[in-house]
Amino acid sequence: MASGIESRKKDHLDLCSDDAVSFRRRSTLLDQVRLVHQSLPDLHLDEIDLSVQMFGKQLKAPLLIAAMTGGTEKAAAINRDLAKIAENYGYAFGLGSQRAMHTQPEQTWTYEVRKWAPSTLIFGNVGVVQARDMSVSELNTMVRLVGADALCAHMNPAMELIQGGGDRDFRGGTDTFKRLARELSVPVIAKETGCGISKETADKLSRAGVLHVDVSGAGGTSWVGVETLRAQGENKKLGEVLWDWGIPTAVSVHWASSMGLSTIATGGIRHGLDVAAALAMGAHMAGIARPVLQAYQQGGIDAVEQFLEQVQMQLRATMLLCGARTIAELQSAPKVILGELRDWIGHKTE
């Protein structure tokens, strides 16, 4: 596989085109959240209200087209088309890592989607390791150039350990989040990249003043796996061992929300029932990345719209069957926690 930021971005898009980069044995455990069926919902399907408010903006559904790409001409086209969909459907939209535009300012245009999504909730994205070494002024400029409403600072130590030439020094992360929470011009979102957020990390983030997290839990795309397929030699061997490393999405959502953090559930969200389970576990929004990318690659904008309409329809139907008219009611709907998920969180959640 090719090296360098631009080539790496291209590799990532190519590798995520199929399911070879999925977790091999570990699942999200969202299937172990059993929502309780209500035979007398006393609702009309048209009454179901999917709208939520996040970061001061009203969304028509609690869905995020999650962070994927940037930094190449192909990435620019994907960002533009997906941002248009987010605008038309009232979803949130996440940019891929903006490291490329920081090191190569001529790539900034590949992230500039605001012109196609004037009212969309847009999340910027930078690695916490990169943010550690950047001034707040530089970060605010990065936010301003793309018109982001919030900035995801992503944590990806497992991925970096496998990546050739990846980061090895992760010191100062907590202090960086303290600085961002205190000084950044927009809210900061602590975001993982496929390995989930532990109870201890959620506590550290909360104490640092962070209010929002994107858990990006285990069970969807293994970014360790992605880098393993790009790696050679000892890095490849290490990646094979750590391919399934991480905390399942359902577990991370429970731990983060239990700490009082505003929680976005990403990592293996495939359909509306997954969205419903994540919301019932405490998430405020659910994000989908690779299935959206795959739909786009197979059929462009039309295929993505069809896929997301199905997700929205599935969520609406699930809410009716739970007797939940609003997202808030779904979050407090009766549920049963089974098996491994119950073991992870330590007790049955009522």
Side-chain angles (χ1 to χ4, degrees):
M1 290 288 181
S3 60
I5 294 178
E6 187 170 350
S7 296
R8 185 165 70 243
K9 298 297 184 185
K10 180 182 181 299
D11 290 347
H12 288 171
L13 287 175
D14 291 343
L15 289 168
C16 289
S17 296
D18 59 39
D19 294 332
V21 294
S22 298
F23 277 77
R24 291 169 172 168
R25 293 175 298 278
R26 183 149 293 177
S27 81
T28 65
L29 298 186
L30 289 167
D31 63 331
Q32 296 188 7
V33 181
R34 298 298 171 84
L35 293 161
V36 178
H37 173 62
Q38 304 298 335
S39 300
L40 289 170
D42 288 323
L43 289 169
H44 190 292
L45 186 62
D46 293 343
E47 290 182 86
I48 304 299
D49 181 7
L50 301 183
S51 67
V52 294
Q53 192 170 69
M54 294 284 290
F55 299 94
K57 289 194 172 181
Q58 190 79 8
L59 304 181
K60 294 178 182 177
L63 296 176
L64 162 70
I65 299 177
M68 278 182 266
T69 194
T72 69
E73 188 171 344
K74 181 179 179 181
I78 294 171
N79 280 337
R80 178 195 64 222
D81 288 346
L82 296 184
K84 287 179 179 178
I85 294 171
E87 177 73 17
N88 292 337
Y89 282 81
Y91 305 146
F93 178 75
L95 292 165
S97 172
Q98 293 172 254
R99 184 176 187 176
M101 74 175 262
H102 177 62
T103 58
Q104 300 172 314
E106 67 273 14
Q107 298 296 334
T108 297
W109 71 277
T110 67
Y111 298 90
E112 293 175 334
V113 299
R114 182 56 82 185
K115 66 184 78 172
W116 293 289
S119 66
T120 297
L121 176 60
I122 294 177
F123 298 152
N125 193 338
V126 67
V128 68
V129 170
Q130 285 69 56
R132 177 192 63 196
D133 300 326
M134 295 171 67
S135 69
V136 171
S137 176
E138 288 178 302
L139 291 164
N140 282 333
T141 297
M142 180 178 286
V143 166
R144 177 180 54 79
L145 286 173
V146 299
D149 299 289
L151 181 66
C152 293
H154 66 257
M155 307 168 285
N156 62 343
M159 176 184 176
E160 292 288 339
L161 289 176
I162 311 306
Q163 188 180 109
D167 295 319
R168 297 296 184 269
D169 182 1
F170 305 100
R171 292 173 294 183
T174 302
D175 287 340
T176 299
F177 275 113
K178 286 180 182 178
R179 179 168 61 98
L180 296 181
R182 184 175 62 247
E183 301 178 19
L184 201 63
S185 62
V186 296
V188 60
I189 303 168
K191 173 179 170 53
E192 238 290 343
T193 53
C195 292
I197 290 178
S198 69
K199 187 186 308 182
E200 293 79 11
T201 297
D203 182 56
K204 288 174 73 174
L205 289 167
S206 179
R207 291 175 183 273
V210 173
L211 302 177
H212 314 279
V213 296
D214 176 346
V215 301
S216 191
T221 300
S222 168
W223 282 96
V224 168
V226 171
E227 292 300 341
T228 300
L229 294 178
R230 299 182 67 249
Q232 298 177 347
E234 293 302 315
N235 282 12
K236 194 174 192 71
K237 293 177 184 178
L238 179 61
E240 288 291 343
V241 171
L242 295 178
W243 190 294
D244 279 326
W245 181 265
I247 303 163
T249 298
V251 179
S252 288
V253 168
H254 171 76
W255 281 340
S257 61
S258 295
M259 291 287 177
L261 296 168
S262 169
T263 303
I264 302 169
T266 61
I269 305 293
R270 300 160 298 152
H271 45 61
L273 188 55
D274 280 342
V275 175
L279 295 170
M281 288 299 290
H284 296 81
M285 177 192 296
I288 307 177
R290 184 156 54 95
V292 169
L293 176 62
Q294 290 174 333
Y296 182 82
Q297 292 172 326
Q298 292 163 11
I301 289 175
D302 289 345
V304 175
E305 289 180 339
Q306 183 179 12
F307 169 71
L308 290 173
E309 285 172 357
Q310 290 173 347
V311 171
Q312 191 166 309
M313 178 184 66
Q314 293 157 359
L315 174 59
R316 189 181 297 275
T318 302
M319 289 175 63
L320 176 78
L321 296 175
C322 291
R325 190 183 68 82
T326 65
I327 298 300
E329 290 180 6
L330 175 62
Q331 289 172 318
S332 60
K335 59 186 176 293
V336 176
I337 306 302
L338 304 179
E340 185 182 349
L341 177 55
R342 185 178 57 213
D343 294 339
W344 270 94
I345 65 178
H347 61 85
K348 179 179 176 181
T349 302
E350 298 295 342

